[in-house]
Amino acid sequence: MVIKDGSWIDARILHKELGVGKKFTDWIKGKIKKYEFINGEDYKLTFTKTGERKNVKVNCYSLTLDMAKELSMVENEFLDIDN
């Protein structure tokens, strides 16, 4: 797990490590809404541009350790039920 800025975790890496079957954007937006996480408090949303001409905008979610732990717990509970 990569920790950024000393206490922030890249949500895309967490998503990949958890093996979530949903598309990343749908997954993170759904979890933020369901658990009422707060931008600037539980996570930071930034935008970067990528691609050859830097014309593709990518949402970058950085999560606090607490938010990452909570998402890991609820996702593991979901995955355990399915197995």
Side-chain angles (χ1 to χ4, degrees), residues 24-75:
F24 170 74
T25 304
D26 296 336
W27 175 76
I28 193 68
K29 286 180 178 180
K31 296 299 182 188
I32 289 169
K33 184 177 181 177
K34 181 175 183 175
Y35 297 105
E36 300 178 344
F37 292 118
I38 300 168
N39 190 1
E41 211 173 288
D42 300 307
Y43 68 96
K44 294 188 285 189
L45 176 58
T46 56
F47 305 95
T48 60
K49 291 187 177 185
T50 188
E52 229 175 85
R53 293 179 282 162
K54 302 287 184 197
N55 60 343
V56 178
K57 187 174 84 169
V58 177
N59 296 343
C60 299
Y61 292 86
S62 298
L63 313 178
T64 62
L65 292 174
D66 286 339
M67 181 175 172
K69 286 179 191 176
E70 187 169 343
L71 290 177
S72 296
M73 287 188 294
V74 297
E75 200 62 44

